[in-house]
Amino acid sequence: MKMKWLSALALVGLLLAGFGAPNATSNPAAVAAKDIPVGVVLPLTGREAKPGQFQKEGIELAIKQINEKGGIFVRELNQKLQLREVFYDDGSDQAKSAGLAERAMSSDDVVAVLGGYSTALGEAESVMPDRYQTPWITTGAAATSIFNRGYQWIFGTLSPVDLLGYTTAEFLGTLVDTGKLRKGLKVALALENTDHGVDYGNGIKKWIQERGGYFTVVFSESFDLGSPDFSGLLQKVKNAHADIFLADAHLQDYITMHRQYVQAGLHHTMISYGARGPETDARKALGDATDYIFAGIWWSKNLPYPQVKKFVDDYKGFTGREPDSWYAATAYEAVRGLAAAIEKGGALKKATIRDEMRKLDLRESLLPGQVLRFGKGGQVDTPFVIVQNKPGGRVDLVYPKDAANGEAVVPPAAQK
Amino acid sequence: MDAADFVNLLVSALLLAGIYAAMSVGMTIIYGVMKIVNLAHAGFLMLGAYYVLELHERLNIDPLVGSVLAFPVFLLAGMLVHWTLVKRIPVSDQPTLASLLLMFGLWLVLQNIGYLIWGSSDRSILTSRTLSSMHLGPITIPTVRVIVFIPAVCSLGLLEFVLRKTWYGRAVRALMQNRYAGRLAGIPVEKMARLTFGVGIGFAGAAGGLLAQLYSFSPDFGHGFLLRSFVIIVLGGLESFWGAAAGALVLALVETFSILVLPAGYQPAIAFSLLVLALVLLPGGIAGIFAKKHRWA
């Protein structure tokens, strides 16, 4: 008898853990006619928990600010309505992420769903919006494959990853042009085995092909996401005798790989882990070993726009700390974009919101270029910025020149 | 590949094998005596990692010492888990669904306790030896891997000594061979099971502490190592300690050297492939090959 109870309890526990219970803000019973429910599906547990948390904070800050101003004016109702977050933690699990996006769209009657960090989880969610004809704005998935499938209800506040690769190579090209690097250097690529990694590699190779003679790719291989051991891959990188090491990795893999990189005694003139580099967790875990690593990111708190300074101050007031890398800003902008679309359309009909999102031209955006506009496939096309870790925990924005607050530095050790 | 590269990879594989063996021996001993597949193993690896981190950050205790200290603490925790939960599972000669569900549920509970206490940030232990390496001519050996390898192998040697030379060890081996005969011979099966479960969890906690010196970790830590532990104990023959050590060596060698012919992205498939091959071709594991000549357990 006791065993039956134990088994039943365990099954209930598994079911609860498997499907994830929404928090208090998501209780469908609490749905009131006088608010605008917005679904948010992000990882707060699992391997993507940290960026997921930052993105949630960005979304909640934007919702708080909009609601403090009374909400969004909906013309057809002739009243202002507050935004209400319906949050689900997908546990960094693809199947769960898709299931929760579906649940938000089908059961919670939300007007739109935000979330989908990272590319792998965003890809899983991306099949749902067209099925349920609900606008979906991914705040953390950037692979072009998501936006090239002809979906009509998807949007994204991250520029394509191939542009990240392209900008990375372009930045290195400027170092050649300014004499900091010499022409003809050899590049080793280590790419995560996702569409994100494929796009990153393609972007780099595209720039190198367009500008013959700058760099040569001598090694390019993919690695498994979340692998605990990269020593074999790094041995191959070592054998490639490249001058520049460019990896495309998520935060956890960046920390693990770079730790093993240093332990293996590897040295390259320039090192990047794609969109990762300045994160506080990584700098704590690796100390000075992260100095001079550069990263191409979608946003930087060092962008010289007044709205960015205000956002950084507001975020600090909201969370007690400054934004860690780009995560919160793209999520914040997704809410602003959605709010603008609802207000412009003057209705809560999903098709109206979707149509207004397509036409959106939001000025004073936090993103580089200061305009939030969704392109043909629903993805923004804002430029990337390059940041570089400097000694003492400093992070400088080093590219493009007109936004830079510091000089790109080739590590002193590499110059010897 | 030149000779130096080969030796580099070989050393890397051997160091990896040591930590793999220490990590999987806890599962082996629990399965051997109780026929329970400890799915919560990853949860205890994770807790071991955080235990060592806390000792290091709060009391400035060296992580290596912390790993040694983790063993008795997790041994007691394991005995408590056995006393409160595991002993309620019906005794069987085969793994049961109830035990699988219980241990899986326990793993989820441990994970969520981890999230409650430490949040979701990636944590890691940074000491003076974390990023240093030793250079022997063209061969580069990460210092921390050697430092971790030594206690891992010593713990296996100590376990072997205990199993061969003490009454407890002989009783464990007897129970692994035949639980009922052991009971008839006067072995207090319940007490032995509790202690053995504790020892298994003790090894998991200590191994978690050692792994924490090599990798960053979060409450989600341990998935990949759980799969590897499965492969190792199946390769080893489920109930054999030296079989598990041999399984760890085989897995580490295959994982490390396969990278020369396969892209790194296929690395997870290697462990799965080995698991399938072992189940189909070596149902008795590596230990089974030698079973006719010599009893390994």
Side-chain angles (χ1 to χ4, degrees):
Chain A
M1 192 63 188
K2 275 181 185 172
M3 276 320 302
K4 282 184 181 173
W5 272 106
L6 266 180
S7 302
L9 271 175
L11 272 173
V12 170
L14 291 182
L15 285 170
L16 280 176
F19 294 104
N23 68 11
T25 58
S26 68
N27 181 3
V31 172
K34 291 180 181 175
D35 60 21
I36 303 171
V38 178
V40 179
V41 182
L42 284 167
L44 282 194
T45 50
R47 62 188 312 278
E48 305 290 9
K50 199 72 179 180
Q53 181 198 332
F54 295 147
Q55 294 226 309
K56 185 171 185 274
E57 287 166 355
I59 287 169
E60 289 178 348
L61 173 61
I63 290 176
K64 178 176 168 274
Q65 290 178 341
I66 289 167
N67 287 345
E68 278 173 358
K69 289 179 185 166
I72 301 170
F73 180 72
V74 184
R75 205 169 46 248
E76 72 172 9
L77 301 174
N78 196 30
Q79 63 174 321
K80 274 191 161 185
L81 295 180
Q82 301 237 318
L83 287 172
R84 177 170 56 84
E85 181 190 14
V86 180
F87 181 76
Y88 291 103
D89 169 18
D90 63 25
S92 308
D93 180 275
Q94 278 180 295
K96 210 159 137 183
S97 196
L100 291 171
E102 184 173 31
R103 178 166 161 179
M105 291 172 186
S106 61
S107 306
D108 297 327
D109 202 24
V110 297
V111 298
V113 171
L114 310 178
Y117 181 93
S118 58
T119 288
L121 299 173
E123 276 189 329
E125 288 183 32
S126 68
V127 298
M128 297 300 170
D130 279 45
R131 190 180 298 170
Y132 293 97
Q133 304 205 333
T134 304
W136 174 74
I137 312 171
T138 174
T139 52
T144 46
S145 59
I146 295 176
F147 299 92
N148 285 343
R149 293 179 188 141
Y151 292 139
Q152 299 299 308
W153 293 80
I154 69 172
F155 301 91
T157 52
L158 297 190
S159 272
V161 180
D162 52 2
L163 184 59
L164 163 62
Y166 192 88
T167 309
T168 299
E170 190 177 65
F171 161 68
L172 290 169
T174 63
L175 296 185
V176 173
D177 293 340
T178 53
K180 290 179 177 174
L181 294 177
R182 61 185 166 77
K183 246 184 175 179
L185 292 179
K186 290 180 278 184
V187 177
L189 299 177
L191 312 166
E192 64 174 41
N193 59 352
T194 61
D195 287 335
H196 194 288
V198 171
D199 286 356
Y200 180 75
N202 287 343
I204 289 170
K205 287 170 192 165
K206 187 180 170 200
W207 191 91
I208 290 174
Q209 273 175 359
E210 285 176 5
R211 312 290 173 94
Y214 272 79
F215 307 108
T216 316
V217 176
V218 293
F219 175 83
S220 178
E221 199 162 286
S222 65
F223 61 85
D224 189 49
L225 203 63
S227 174
D229 191 56
F230 296 106
S231 53
L233 173 71
L234 292 172
Q235 183 68 42
K236 279 178 153 179
V237 170
K238 191 175 186 178
N239 293 345
H241 302 294
D243 306 292
I244 295 169
F245 176 55
L246 302 177
D248 179 54
H250 276 73
L251 181 56
Q252 205 177 28
D253 290 341
Y254 155 42
I255 294 172
T256 306
M257 190 185 289
H258 194 61
R259 179 193 283 241
Q260 291 173 5
Y261 175 97
V262 178
Q263 287 173 347
L266 269 70
H267 292 288
H268 289 90
T269 310
M270 293 296 280
I271 306 168
S272 179
Y273 287 89
R276 276 81 202 176
E279 289 82 356
T280 310
D281 279 0
R283 303 203 79 171
K284 266 190 205 165
L286 300 164
D288 297 346
T290 58
D291 287 351
Y292 303 109
I293 286 176
F294 71 94
I297 55 177
W298 288 271
W299 178 84
S300 165
K301 64 184 176 193
N302 292 326
L303 278 166
Y305 311 147
Q307 64 270 29
V308 167
K309 189 180 178 313
K310 183 179 180 310
F311 168 74
V312 172
D313 291 342
D314 291 346
Y315 184 87
K316 205 172 170 185
F318 185 60
T319 64
R321 55 188 148 70
E322 289 200 342
D324 195 354
S325 198
W326 53 270
Y327 308 102
T330 58
Y332 180 89
E333 284 299 283
V335 179
R336 284 188 68 226
L338 175 65
I342 293 172
E343 191 146 313
K344 190 102 188 289
L348 296 180
K349 289 187 196 78
K350 293 174 184 177
T352 309
I353 296 170
R354 190 266 316 258
D355 294 344
E356 289 301 330
M357 294 280 291
R358 285 177 173 172
K359 292 187 277 183
L360 191 71
D361 190 47
L362 189 67
R363 301 289 155 154
E364 294 186 7
S365 167
L366 298 180
L367 302 179
Q370 304 186 72
V371 181
L372 178 65
R373 190 187 298 130
F374 297 105
K376 203 179 167 191
Q379 191 170 21
V380 299
D381 200 16
T382 54
F384 281 85
V385 294
I386 302 287
V387 293
Q388 188 177 32
N389 295 343
K390 300 279 179 69
R394 212 173 80 231
V395 180
D396 284 349
L397 200 167
V398 295
Y399 185 82
K401 270 274 169 228
D402 57 359
N405 72 335
E407 277 287 314
V409 175
V410 175
Q415 293 171 346
K416 285 172 188 170
Chain B
M1 185 176 64
D2 59 24
D5 291 340
F6 179 82
V7 176
N8 257 325
L9 284 177
L10 186 64
V11 169
S12 177
L14 289 174
L15 296 178
L16 193 60
I19 188 73
Y20 275 3
M23 160 186 98
S24 52
V25 77
M27 271 186 100
T28 307
I29 196 168
I30 289 174
Y31 182 85
V33 172
M34 280 168 282
K35 302 296 177 282
I36 288 173
V37 179
N38 183 16
L39 290 174
H41 191 74
F44 288 106
L45 286 175
M46 176 271 292
L47 286 182
Y50 277 105
Y51 175 78
V52 169
L53 175 79
E54 291 293 341
L55 288 183
H56 179 60
E57 287 191 345
R58 289 176 192 274
L59 305 173
N60 207 21
I61 292 175
D62 189 278
L64 209 56
V65 178
S67 301
V68 176
L69 293 177
F71 183 82
V73 173
F74 279 78
L75 185 145
L76 291 174
M79 289 174 72
L80 184 69
V81 169
H82 183 275
W83 184 65
T84 51
L85 297 173
V86 179
K87 75 171 184 182
R88 294 165 204 279
I89 298 171
V91 175
S92 171
D93 285 339
Q94 297 293 327
T96 60
L97 181 62
S99 70
L100 285 173
L101 282 173
L102 178 67
M103 300 319 285
F104 186 57
L106 180 60
W107 179 20
L108 293 176
V109 169
L110 294 178
Q111 242 183 12
N112 283 287
I113 288 173
Y115 281 118
L116 279 174
I117 300 174
W118 294 289
S120 56
S121 297
D122 276 320
R123 307 290 294 273
S124 54
I125 296 172
L126 186 61
T127 66
S128 57
R129 58 179 176 260
T130 303
L131 300 172
S132 68
S133 47
M134 299 186 280
H135 300 278
L136 304 171
I139 300 160
T140 305
I141 307 170
T143 311
V144 71
R145 292 213 167 209
V146 179
I147 299 285
V148 162
F149 176 79
I150 293 166
V153 172
C154 287
S155 67
L156 291 176
L158 188 65
L159 180 66
E160 171 66 5
F161 175 81
V162 169
L163 289 173
R164 295 280 164 200
K165 302 292 180 190
T166 66
W167 183 88
Y168 166 75
R170 283 192 289 273
V172 166
R173 287 191 292 137
L175 290 178
M176 288 173 83
Q177 287 170 21
N178 192 317
R179 186 184 180 92
Y180 301 103
R183 187 189 292 274
L184 289 173
I187 297 172
V189 176
E190 273 307 309
K191 277 185 186 170
M192 290 303 298
R194 186 158 59 242
L195 184 57
T196 304
F197 194 85
V199 169
I201 300 301
F203 266 98
L210 295 177
L211 288 170
Q213 296 169 64
L214 301 176
Y215 307 107
S216 60
F217 50 91
S218 69
D220 202 31
F221 184 66
H223 284 100
F225 296 114
L226 183 66
L227 170 70
R228 282 174 174 82
S229 297
F230 273 133
V231 176
I232 288 164
I233 66 171
V234 170
L235 267 175
L238 291 173
E239 298 173 10
S240 165
F241 303 113
W242 286 110
L249 183 61
V250 169
L251 178 64
L253 284 170
V254 173
E255 273 191 347
T256 306
F257 280 94
S258 65
I259 205 98
L260 296 173
V261 287
L262 288 173
Y266 293 114
Q267 208 170 10
I270 294 162
F272 278 117
S273 306
L274 267 179
L275 183 63
V276 172
L277 282 176
L279 287 170
V280 174
L281 302 175
L282 283 176
I286 295 167
I289 300 172
F290 299 92
K292 287 177 188 170
K293 294 180 181 174
H294 180 70
R295 185 76 195 172
W296 278 38

